[in-house]
């Protein structure tokens, strides 16, 4: 899987190492284990999916590229949409602190179970509505979302540090979902719209 990611243009050696270290098969149901290293999204229950490895890598690489050059690790990162906890674990190897929030209790509990044996003391799993962000962990060097809405929630912008970056799927004017990068600069926000993606919807409230 890591070789394939490198062939697809993922270049960051720390990211490739992190994705090699976090075994994806430990996050999917036993019936799907033989598909765990294919470049495909897989069901994780409650109608949600674990993203394709290639999309996880692409989004984290964008997040890392938004950080100060020369920084050894990213600072604090907020992940919206913990799902099975896979991306949170990968982020845990690359950032000083990871706050990952999930709105579905069943998946929050599942992620806690999945992450236990990895002993990533810097990954904090939270149950709540990620559209509100998580103010207690702010300001964040990076915010990454695994679910797409119609706009970037204002709380995310508020909780992002100056110099920080948001990477999220979002519905564009054309009615299609695309990856969006928002950089919070001294002089204001810079939005970039990148390639089309397919993520589950960002929903408000908890369930
Ligand atoms: N990163 C995850 C991908 C999970 S899919 C993984 O590695 O498995 C996206 C997740 O976002 C779903 O579990 C969905 O329940 C969650 N989600 C959607 N809207 C949310 C919100 N407002 N706050 C928190 N989680 C949300």
């Amino acid at each position: 899987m890591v070789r394939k990611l490198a062939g697809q243009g993922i270049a960051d050696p720390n990211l490739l190492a992190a994705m090699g270290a976090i075994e994806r098969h430990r996050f999917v149901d036993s019936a799907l284990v033989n598909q765990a290293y294919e470049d495909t999204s897989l069901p994780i229950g409650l109608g949600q999916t674990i993203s394709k490895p290639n999309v996880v890598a692409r989004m984290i690489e964008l997040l890392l590229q938004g950080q100060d050059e020369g920084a050894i690790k990213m600072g604090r990162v907020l992940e919206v949409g913990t799902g099975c906890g896979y991306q949170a674990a990968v982020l845990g190897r690359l950032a000083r602190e990871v706050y990952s929030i999930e709105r579905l209790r069943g998946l929050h509990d599942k992620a806690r179970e999945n992450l236990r044996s990895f002993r990533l003391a810097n990954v904090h799993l939270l149950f709540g509505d990620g559209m509100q962000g998580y103010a207690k962990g702010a300001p964040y060097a990076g915010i990454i979302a695994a679910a797409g809405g119609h706009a970037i929630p204002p709380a995310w912008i508020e909780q992002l540090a100056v110099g920080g970056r948001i990477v999220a799927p979002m519905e564009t004017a054309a009615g299609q979902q695309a990856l969006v990068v928002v950089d919070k600069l001294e002089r204001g926000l810079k939005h970039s719209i990148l390639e089309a993606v397919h993520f589950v919807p960002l929903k408000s409230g908890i369930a």
Side-chain angles (χ1 to χ4, degrees), residues 138-183:
Y140 297 102
I143 298 179
I144 186 165
H150 299 282
I152 298 294
W156 299 1
I157 305 283
E158 276 160 34
Q159 294 173 22
L160 188 66
V162 173
R165 169 174 277 195
I166 297 173
V167 180
M170 199 185 89
E171 198 170 304
T172 62
Q176 271 203 331
Q177 212 182 48
L179 268 191
V180 173
V181 169
V182 182
D183 289 311

Side-chain angles (χ1 to χ4, degrees), residues 45-61:
L46 302 177
Q48 309 302 317
T49 52
I50 178 174
S51 311
K52 287 164 70 154
N54 164 275
V55 173
V56 171
R58 166 81 171 136
M59 290 180 75
I60 296 180
E61 192 161 65

Side-chain angles (χ1 to χ4, degrees), residues 24 27 42 44-52 56 79-91 100-105 107-108 111 114 126-133 144-148 153 156 199-206:
R24 195 166 179 259
F27 293 85
L42 293 169
I44 54 173
L46 302 177
Q48 309 302 317
T49 52
I50 178 174
S51 311
K52 287 164 70 154
V56 171
E79 180 194 35
V80 178
T82 312
C84 65
Y86 172 71
Q87 180 168 270
V90 175
L91 288 167
S100 181
I101 187 160
E102 171 59 55
R103 65 179 288 278
L104 298 177
R105 171 66 80 179
L107 286 176
H108 167 75
N114 286 342
L126 310 157
F127 172 58
D129 179 1
M131 287 182 77
Q132 311 301 320
I144 186 165
W156 299 1
F199 277 86
V200 296
L202 183 71
K203 292 185 177 172
S204 60
I206 52 173

Side-chain angles (χ1 to χ4, degrees), residues 11-18:
D12 190 299
N14 296 329
L15 171 58
L16 290 170

